[in-house]
């Protein structure tokens, strides 16, 4: 069958590339055409646009590139019609992809399958109306989305497993490096345990969070060494502005190795909180925001969920402490770290909570499971 995929950013490129590999194993004659990146290109098929041509973050960049965005949208719609795939697989990136789903429903008979569902449980819940109308099948990687979509909104979805859990499990099964080897490779002191600092993958996140993370963790520098997980898209020169003169090291391309050898971590919200939990590393989750009191008010009254970290959302309770908006401060981060180091009841309780997160995620291989369901559904449509 012919599969048209649309991924609008780096994480989507990664998840879509693995889904493509799984689809090819299930459907040996699969043909791919896609908006995506280098990883999807390596999986095979024809790339018609790179996601760099789509990915504009924030109000001003989007405003400045509106003409380009609309041009890409129009081209994508024409390209789908001309190629006429059996299915269009939308990967996250809801601002663009939900418009494509609307077009497919209104103008074609091509089904839209959504892989990695839009996070409307956090905000923009009104989008459920369009999803129910325009998306033929929705594939979720977060177990708490099932009661949200099915229980609250009566829309049947497929929970296929979690790719991050797959990746961490695969790493832990094969990684054999010792702490001494890791330290030797990266110029670290093997006599002192590590506090990992994961400050996000975008410059603004790093600028907002890393200075406070370093200041708080530095209070423990007499017994622990501080190591930043360098984001692949951020240069060492940019990090130098924050870590120069500080008791901090940085490692690139070794986030999983770093977590495998860390005693504790300070993490900005996002997938990194889940990765840290899956490595059983006790953590403090923090995220600095502008006008914190206003953001705290809006979070309390407008945000549809109680938590911002995936760990707490999956567990449906506070497993890790979240320091966001008006609770974000150097003193609060340091106080939470002191509860995690070196040992104690709070640390043990958090690790017990991590076990519950792993249980809820399950052990399904997400792209394999999704591919099998997709092909089965598509073949059923053909047979009918």
């Amino acid at each position: 069958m012919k599969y048209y995929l649309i991924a609008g950013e780096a994480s989507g490129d990664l998840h879509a590339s693995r889904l493509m590999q799984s689809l090819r194993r299930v459907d040996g004659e699969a043909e791919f055409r896609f908006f995506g990146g280098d990883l999807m290109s390596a999986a095979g098929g024809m790339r018609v646009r790179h996601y760099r041509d789509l990915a504009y973050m924030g109000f001003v960049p989007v405003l400045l590139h509106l003409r380009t965005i609309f041009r890409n949208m129009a081209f994508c719609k024409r390209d789908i019609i001309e190629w006429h795939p059996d299915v269009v697989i939308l990967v996250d990136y809801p601002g663009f992809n939900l418009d494509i789903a609307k077009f497919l429903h209104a103008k074609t008979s091509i089904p839209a399958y959504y892989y990695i569902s839009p996070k409307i449980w956090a905000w923009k819940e009104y989008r459920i109306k369009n999803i129910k109308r325009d998306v033929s099948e929705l594939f979720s990687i977060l177990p708490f989305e099932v009661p949200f979509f099915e229980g609250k909104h009566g829309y049947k979805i497929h929970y296929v497993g979690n790719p991050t859990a797959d990746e961490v499990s695969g790493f832990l099964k094969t990684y054999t490096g010792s702490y001494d080897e890791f330290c030797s490779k990266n110029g670290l002191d093997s006599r002192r345990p590590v506090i990992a600092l994961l400050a996000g993958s975008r410059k603004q996140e790093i600028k907002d969070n890393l200075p406070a993370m370093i200041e708080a963790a530095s209070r423990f520098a007499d017994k622990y060494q501080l190591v930043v997980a360098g984001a692949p898209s951020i240069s060492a020169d940019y990090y130098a502005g924050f870590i120069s003169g500080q008791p901090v090291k940085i490692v690139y391309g070794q986030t999983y190795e770093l977590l495998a050898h860390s005693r504790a971590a300070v993490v900005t919200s996002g997938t990194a909180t889940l990765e840290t939990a899956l490595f059983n590393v006790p953590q403090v989750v923090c995220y600095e925001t502008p006008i914190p009191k206003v953001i705290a008010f809006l979070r309390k009254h407008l945000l549809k969920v109680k938590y911002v970290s995936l760990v707490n959302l999956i567990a449906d309770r506070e497993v890790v402490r979240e320091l966001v908006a008006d609770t974000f401060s150097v003193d609060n981060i340091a106080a939470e770290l002191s509860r995690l180091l070196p040992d104690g009841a709070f640390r043990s309780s958090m690790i017990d909570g991590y076990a519950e997160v792993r249980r809820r995620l399950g052990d399904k291989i997400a792209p394999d499971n999704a591919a099998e369901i997709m092909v089965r559904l598509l073949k059923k449509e053909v047979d009918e």
Side-chain angles (χ1 to χ4, degrees), residues 175 178-197 221 223-230 243 246-252 254-264:
Y175 182 63
S178 69
Y179 185 59
D180 285 346
E181 290 169 339
F182 176 74
C183 289
S184 176
K185 178 181 177 181
N186 293 288
L188 301 174
D189 181 359
S190 61
R191 296 167 299 179
R192 290 190 297 160
V194 165
I195 298 175
L197 305 179
K223 295 181 180 178
Y224 298 87
Q225 52 191 332
L226 282 51
V227 184
V228 172
I243 67 176
Q246 302 285 346
V248 182
K249 296 275 191 175
I250 185 167
V251 300
Y252 276 98
Q254 300 174 74
T255 300
Y256 281 10
E257 289 89 339
L258 172 61
L259 287 172
H261 297 298
S262 292
R263 187 65 180 162

Side-chain angles (χ1 to χ4, degrees), residues 14-15 18 162-179 182 185-186 194 196-198 227-232 251-263 265 270-281:
L14 171 64
H15 294 310
R18 290 178 174 163
N162 186 273
T164 301
D166 302 341
E167 291 154 17
V168 172
S169 176
F171 174 86
L172 290 172
K173 286 176 182 176
T174 58
Y175 182 63
T176 58
S178 69
Y179 185 59
F182 176 74
K185 178 181 177 181
N186 293 288
V194 165
L197 305 179
L198 284 72
V227 184
V228 172
V251 300
Y252 276 98
Q254 300 174 74
T255 300
Y256 281 10
E257 289 89 339
L258 172 61
L259 287 172
H261 297 298
S262 292
R263 187 65 180 162
T271 305
T273 64
L274 180 57
E275 291 173 323
T276 303
L278 292 168
F279 275 94
N280 261 358
V281 179

Side-chain angles (χ1 to χ4, degrees), residues 276-293:
T276 303
L278 292 168
F279 275 94
N280 261 358
V281 179
Q283 63 184 301
V284 185
V285 175
C286 62
Y287 205 90
E288 195 273 344
T289 64
I291 47 173
K293 290 186 178 180

Side-chain angles (χ1 to χ4, degrees), residues 90-165:
L90 310 167
V91 184
D92 204 358
Y93 201 58
F96 190 94
N97 278 334
L98 286 176
D99 189 83
I100 296 297
K102 181 180 179 181
F103 166 78
L104 292 171
H105 175 78
K107 302 294 184 182
T108 80
S109 60
I110 303 167
Y113 285 8
Y114 216 118
Y115 182 60
I116 306 183
S117 49
K119 299 172 180 62
I120 64 169
W121 38 264
W123 56 83
K124 298 185 179 180
E125 190 171 352
Y126 61 85
R127 283 177 163 173
I128 186 62
K129 180 181 177 182
N130 290 6
I131 290 172
K132 292 173 78 171
R133 182 193 65 208
D134 301 330
V135 176
S136 301
E137 302 287 343
L138 190 149
F139 299 81
S140 165
I141 62 170
L142 296 170
F144 61 84
E145 291 183 334
V146 176
F148 173 81
F149 283 103
E150 296 188 356
K152 186 175 182 180
H153 292 290
Y155 177 61
K156 180 79 174 170
I157 70 170
H158 309 275
Y159 173 66
V160 295
N162 186 273
T164 301

Side-chain angles (χ1 to χ4, degrees), residues 1 86 113 375-384:
M1 286 178 285
D86 292 281
Y113 285 8
V375 172
R376 185 173 70 245
L377 289 170
L378 290 168
K379 284 183 175 179
K380 184 180 178 182
E381 285 187 20
V382 170
D383 292 340
E384 291 177 351

Side-chain angles (χ1 to χ4, degrees), residues 318-381:
E318 188 182 72
V319 173
V320 298
R321 182 74 192 281
E322 300 176 353
L323 304 175
V324 181
D326 59 333
T327 60
F328 178 96
S329 72
V330 170
D331 286 344
N332 284 349
I333 296 170
E336 290 304 313
L337 273 176
S338 69
R339 298 173 73 194
L340 299 173
L341 297 169
D343 291 299
F346 184 64
R347 181 184 181 93
S348 299
S349 173
M350 189 175 293
I351 290 174
D352 289 343
Y354 288 170
E356 173 65 12
V357 169
R358 282 194 295 274
R359 187 191 68 76
R360 293 192 178 204
L361 288 173
D363 56 6
K364 297 176 181 177
I365 307 300
D368 289 353
N369 193 28
E372 289 171 6
I373 296 170
M374 288 178 181
V375 172
R376 185 173 70 245
L377 289 170
L378 290 168
K379 284 183 175 179
K380 184 180 178 182
E381 285 187 20

